[in-house]
Amino acid sequence: MSPRIAVYPGSFDPIHNGHLDIVSRLGALFDEVVIAVLQNEEKRPLFSVAEREEMIREVVGERSGFRVESFSGLLVDFARQLGARTIVRGLRAVSDFEYEFQMALMNRRLSPEIETVFMMPREEYTYLSSRLVKEVFALGGSLDGLVPAQVLARLRERFVQGTGGAGAR
Ligand code: PNS
């Protein structure tokens, strides 16, 4: 039987505990999971693709079956190259639904053999987004329990350097 490969794509700018909650659920469902960072410099991310990949590797660690890659172009093309039949997206609240629904159906039209699967993070992370992580940090609020220590350290470094920026969830 061929391995069950899933791709978990996103901006991950930066990765937070809601993403990690999904990652921890994926291990039980798939043989291989590729966490795929979108190369989206036009969105003016706070962290470069290389930094985002590095942070994810640091916090996901050496779990077997997981790897981190970046991609540009169509997600379905990248999934096909990987041999992945499943795209995983986190669904936090009804507000996510419309965007996710459009993406899932467009991806299905582009590549009918690839299925999108939605997973819910733990309730305490349903309001969490990378955008809020950056905003709360920039304004001096606590991110206790919301991001891993490695990400907090990177945020400190970045804001001490005096850069800022908008970004995705
Ligand atoms: O974390 P995000 O920013 O919500 O992730 C969005 C992502 C990376 C899943 C989406 O922007 C994407 O798949 N981009 C790749 C380009 C693509 O395939 N576009 C058509 C999808 S309908």
Side-chain angles (χ1 to χ4, degrees):
M1 226 172 84
S2 49
R4 292 163 308 170
I5 306 171
V7 56
Y8 178 36
S11 298
F12 300 110
D13 184 40
I15 191 162
H16 54 63
N17 286 355
H19 296 128
L20 285 171
D21 182 74
I22 301 287
V23 165
S24 65
R25 292 168 198 280
L26 286 173
L29 299 175
F30 297 97
D31 302 310
E32 286 176 38
V33 176
V34 178
I35 304 173
V37 179
L38 177 67
Q39 294 171 14
N40 55 348
E41 297 308 321
E42 67 290 344
K43 266 189 174 176
R44 297 210 321 112
L46 179 60
F47 294 102
S48 70
V49 173
E51 288 171 321
R52 285 180 267 157
E53 283 188 80
E54 234 172 75
M55 269 186 276
I56 299 172
R57 286 198 186 95
E58 277 171 24
V59 300
V60 171
E62 293 300 307
R63 294 184 213 199
S64 81
F66 284 86
R67 65 180 201 272
V68 184
E69 293 194 17
S70 64
F71 76 103
S72 58
L74 284 178
L75 173 61
V76 287
D77 288 343
F78 181 65
R80 224 184 275 124
Q81 278 166 33
L82 298 168
R85 299 286 300 268
T86 311
I87 293 170
V88 175
R89 293 286 290 168
L91 201 57
R92 296 167 297 190
V94 177
S95 50
D96 281 341
F97 182 76
E98 199 169 333
Y99 171 60
E100 295 298 336
F101 184 69
Q102 287 174 355
M103 274 205 304
L105 292 186
M106 179 56 83
N107 283 334
R108 179 185 284 166
R109 185 189 168 94
L110 294 169
S111 198
E113 77 283 7
I114 298 175
E115 205 61 62
T116 299
V117 164
F118 295 104
M119 293 180 68
M120 275 75 72
R122 269 163 65 174
E123 303 89 283
E124 64 245 52
Y125 302 134
T126 47
Y127 61 90
L128 189 56
S129 69
S130 296
R131 186 182 62 77
L132 281 185
V133 162
K134 290 178 282 196
E135 185 171 321
V136 168
F137 186 85
L139 298 174
S142 167
L143 292 175
D144 224 21
L146 300 180
V147 295
Q150 296 93 326
V151 171
L152 200 55
R154 296 274 187 145
L155 284 164
R156 283 200 189 103
E157 260 172 49
R158 183 50 39 95
F159 279 89
V160 166
Q161 285 165 13
T163 47
R169 68 183 202 162

